Each structure stands twice: as structure tokens, then as C-alpha cells.
Amino acid sequence: MALALTLPPVHLGPELDELRAEVRGFLDAQRRAGAFEPACDAWLRGYDPAFSRALAQRGWVGMTWPARYGGSDRSDLERYVVTEELLAAGAPVAAHWGADRQVGPSILRHGTEEQRQRFLPAMARAEVLVAGAMSEPDAGSDLASLRTAATPVEGGWLLSGRKVWTSHAHRADEIVVLCRTSPPGERRHEGISQLIVAASSPGITVRPIRVLTGEHHFNEVLFDDVFVPGDRLLGRPGDGWAQITAELVLERCGPDRFLSTFPLVRAFADAVGASADPSAAWAPLGRAVASLWALRRLSISVAVAVAGGRQPGTTAAGADGTGRSPEVVAALVKDLGTRLEQDLVEVVRLAAPHDPPAELTRLLAEGVLSSPGFTLRGGTNEILRGIVAKALGAR
Ligand SMILES: Cc1cc2nc3c(=O)[nH]c(=O)nc-3n(C[C@H](O)[C@H](O)[C@H](O)COP(=O)(O)OP(=O)(O)OC[C@H]3O[C@@H](n4cnc5c(N)ncnc54)[C@H](O)[C@@H]3O)c2cc1C
């Protein structure tokens, strides 16, 4: 069965070109000043709160949020352009990424007025940094089997359980925890909620899980009868599954799903251009750029659907102009995009000039070491293909 997608035409327009030029100018100046060097997978590995605050000062964190919550009232497409430039430059954006991409929008949509005022302006200043704790030792792809649970007590909840792979929990001010707040009903997805937990709360232990390179971004996080005040429940009790599904759409459809290795491709193109015989690399480079362009088109169309007022995570097909719900298209973007990110590393590895420049060698090493995680994080590609297959079956 074929999946037909009708993608709406996208015209980014001259105002967006101006914004793009402004961001590029800022990034060039930062690079020249030595504030960062381009890195692969910088939205996970490049953690620099000072850099995030510099972006925030320009209104580029939480930029789509209303001004009364510290945002800049900019459009989703404007945010898309800024995001794209930051990723293409390999800039260190990990410190504010989770808040900007999904936690802030989720608080805006589901939070109380008090939560919006408490968290959003501080997040938009990149002063409050967040981590997301969903995965557990026995609950990754099958997230609904999670065991971390919060029981109601006077004034709030007592939270206990164990999370793994929680990126940057050791640096976060707030950890958004997906947990069970009541037993499952007929559907296992019932009874799950989200709590915004202060990382400094008594009873939390954060232990590093180091990756092969020795880098530390992953953690195991233990919650031992952690008291969480009632006003830190995000949304209604039991709505956590729908909320996290909507967050994951935002996590899966953006340019972060195909640009993690773009700085490597750029360094490769530069090295090819400077080599004595560039023609040998034209074909692989051309294929890479063509694939990136197609993915970008798909990704922008989801951003347009979201900008058009569609709530991510809804399941009705067609009304977003993509022919499919954002959830399905986001699954496609992530499946195709992350495989492309991995393929690009291979393209460069096989076609790199002999005696490559030092920066290309460094970026290639970063790409090789980071790429296994691309198809796992944010939901594995096998699971995403299941989402797409179910949508096909429902036609
Ligand atoms: C770089 C990185 C950053 C991460 N950051 C975070 C974070 O900040 N917070 C957080 O909560 N989690 C995070 N994760 C965890 C991530 O969400 C999980 O790794 C992912 O959901 C898969 O879960 P798992 O590792 O338990 O693998 P499993 O679910 O055990 O899957 C193992 C393999 O089996 C396959 N598989 C499982 N079920 C099926 C099925 N039904 N059909 C077909 N194949 C199947 C999977 O596709 C996979 O290949 C991160 C992971 C990575 C790699």
C-alpha cells in the first residue's frame, strides 16, 4: 500500500531571509570570537548555558511563546529558520534545547497560569534548564510499562522509581518526569501523568552513565519518596500519555532530525572544494545534498501544519494539508532523517580526501561516535515505522 503525502507549498519569504542573515551573522561573530567550534550532534553534546543565554538575549529561545510569558511572539517558521541555522553551524545549544523545543510548549498548552508565569520567562532567558525523564530500564519503546509512580499525599505527591538515559539531568534545574499516578484502566496508557520536579528536591540521586568516549550526558536518576507539591502536576492527572505524545511530535519533526551531522557535510564540501581532484566526490556529495533538501521540505511542511494551528499528536488525517496527521509525518521525518544523518557519516568516511584537514577528521570522529544514537533517541525507528504502518492500515 502506498502512502500519499500532499505537501503544502512553502514560501519562506524575504522577512525570513533577513532573520536567517541575522542569525548567520551572529554565529559567524561568535565563532570568530572563539565562543564555539562547530560540532556534530551539538544539540545533545554542546552544552553551554552562557551561549544559550546569549541566544536568549536576542529573543531566540522560546521565540514563539507569547511576550507575556517571556517569549517573542514570533512564528513557528521564524523559529524553524533560527533552529536550522543553529544546527547547521553545529552551535552548542543543548542547554536550552529541551525547554525550547518541547517542555515550554507543553507548559504553554497544558500548564496552569501560575506554572506558565513561574517557568516560561525563566526558560526563555535560558536560566531554568530542563531534562526529560521518560525511559526506564524496562520501559523504553514500550514506555507505557513504566513503573515510576507518584502516590497522592497531603499537598502533593510522593514520587519513587528509576529512570535511565536522562540526558543532562545532572545539570538541569527541573526534571519533567513521566510517571504513573493511578493504576492502568482498560488501556495501559491511562493513569500516566507528568510532574515538573525540582532537581534539587530531597530524595533524588543522579548517577552518570558515561558513553564510550567518556562523555557524560546520560544519567540514571533515582527518585526515593520525593515530595512533589501538587502545583507541579503538568496538565490533568492521567493525561500524561497524550501530552508526551504531542511533545514527541515536536521532538521528531524538527531539523534536529536530519542536521546532526550537517557540520561534517559542510567540512567535507570545503575539503572537496580545496582538493586537487574534486570530481571524485561530486556524486556522493550531490546525493547527500539532494536527500537533505527533500527531508527539509518534509520537515518544513510539518512546521507549517503546526503553524497552521494543528495540535501535534492529533490523529485525524488530511486536515493539516499533509494528507496525514502530524504524528505520522513526524514519525516519517525522524525515520528518514535519522537514517540520512547516519548515511552522511558513511558518505564522508568513504569519500573523504586522503590527508583530510584536521577539522574534517574531528567532525568525522564525532559523527561516527554519535550516529548509533540517532535512530534510538526520541523513539526508535522500528517503533516509528509501526506508527506509520498503523496509519496505513487505518486507511
Ligand atoms: C542519545 C540518546 C539520548 C536519550 N535521551 C533520553 C532522555 O533525555 N530521556 C529519556 O527518557 N530517554 C532518553 N533516551 C532513551 C531513548 O528514548 C530510548 O533508548 C528509546 O526509547 C529505546 O528504548 P530502549 O533503549 O529501552 O530500547 P528497547 O525498547 O529495549 O529496544 C531495543 C531494540 O528493540 C527494538 N524494538 C523494541 N520493541 C519493538 C517492537 N515492538 N517492534 C520492533 N522492534 C522493537 C527497538 O527498535 C530497538 O532497536 C535517549 C537515548 C539516546 C540514544
Side-chain angles (χ1 to χ4, degrees):
M1 196 183 305
L3 177 60
L5 289 173
T6 312
L7 300 175
V10 177
H11 304 289
L12 293 180
E15 316 82 53
L16 293 180
D17 290 342
E18 274 174 35
L19 176 61
R20 189 182 295 283
E22 187 188 341
V23 181
R24 276 189 193 175
F26 169 78
L27 290 169
D28 283 348
Q30 291 286 312
R31 248 193 97 176
R32 279 197 304 275
F36 75 95
E37 56 177 17
C40 281
D41 205 18
W43 65 265
L44 178 71
R45 299 173 52 250
Y47 201 95
D48 183 345
F51 189 83
S52 291
R53 283 194 293 273
L55 293 173
Q57 277 163 13
R58 277 155 187 81
W60 294 337
V61 178
M63 60 188 290
T64 60
W65 309 347
R68 67 182 181 284
Y69 300 127
S72 303
D73 279 321
R74 309 291 286 261
S75 71
D76 291 80
L77 278 177
E78 287 175 304
R79 178 181 175 273
Y80 194 97
V81 164
V82 172
T83 305
E84 207 171 37
E85 289 304 318
L86 293 171
L87 294 166
V93 293
H96 70 276
W97 210 243
D100 180 74
R101 181 177 65 184
Q102 59 207 75
V103 174
S106 196
I107 292 176
L108 198 55
R109 194 170 299 128
H110 308 292
T112 61
E113 186 55 27
E114 191 272 327
Q115 287 171 343
R116 291 176 186 162
Q117 289 183 13
R118 188 190 331 177
F119 294 116
L120 294 179
M123 286 180 183
R125 292 192 301 271
E127 284 170 3
V128 161
L129 308 176
V130 299
M134 288 123 355
S135 309
E136 299 184 4
D138 296 315
S141 300
D142 185 15
L143 193 53
S145 64
L146 55 79
R147 292 197 197 136
T148 298
T151 46
V153 292
E154 181 71 32
W157 306 86
L158 267 195
L159 177 68
S160 286
R162 180 179 172 213
K163 296 288 183 182
V164 283
W165 317 126
T166 318
S167 303
H168 304 300
H170 58 303
R171 300 149 152 167
D173 302 295
E174 305 288 340
I175 306 177
V176 182
V177 180
L178 191 70
C179 60
R180 191 159 277 297
T181 46
S182 59
E186 272 181 24
R187 293 178 66 244
R188 289 185 316 138
H189 301 150
E190 292 169 11
I192 291 175
S193 304
Q194 283 180 301
L195 295 175
I196 308 170
V197 182
S200 56
S201 308
I204 298 182
T205 307
V206 180
R207 291 186 187 142
I209 303 175
R210 290 192 187 277
V211 295
L212 273 178
T213 56
E215 282 179 282
H216 174 201
H217 54 76
F218 278 145
N219 298 280
E220 176 188 32
V221 186
L222 303 164
F223 300 90
D224 184 10
D225 275 348
V226 175
F227 176 71
V228 184
D231 62 4
R232 282 174 164 267
L233 174 75
L234 179 59
R236 291 181 310 188
D239 279 358
W241 190 262
Q243 290 170 199
I244 199 72
T245 307
E247 273 188 40
L248 286 170
V249 169
L250 298 175
E251 186 179 335
R252 288 170 183 161
C253 70
D256 22 12
R257 294 309 179 178
F258 57 93
L259 289 179
S260 306
T261 51
F262 188 84
L264 170 63
V265 177
R266 189 195 297 243
F268 173 56
D270 289 346
V272 167
S275 67
D277 177 18
S279 61
W282 281 344
L285 188 57
R287 274 197 299 275
V289 172
S291 302
L292 275 165
W293 199 253
L295 248 305
R296 177 174 186 259
R297 181 74 181 73
L298 190 60
S299 168
I300 291 178
S301 83
V302 183
V304 170
V306 174
R310 287 293 306 277
Q311 294 289 307
T314 54
T315 50
D320 57 353
T322 62
R324 284 286 152 189
S325 77
E327 186 182 1
V328 176
V329 184
L332 273 173
V333 172
K334 184 178 177 270
D335 180 27
L336 296 170
T338 52
R339 281 189 285 146
L340 175 63
E341 291 179 318
Q342 291 177 335
D343 288 350
L344 293 175
V345 176
E346 273 307 280
V347 166
V348 176
R349 191 177 68 77
L350 296 172
H354 303 296
D355 195 18
E359 178 165 88
L360 180 58
T361 306
R362 172 181 64 79
L363 287 164
L364 180 56
E366 290 176 3
V368 167
L369 290 167
S370 304
S371 64
F374 297 165
T375 48
L376 293 172
R377 61 186 175 191
T380 69
N381 287 32
E382 289 77 14
I383 297 300
L384 299 177
R385 281 177 223 145
I387 293 174
V388 176
K390 271 189 202 150
L392 285 172
R395 296 182 81 196

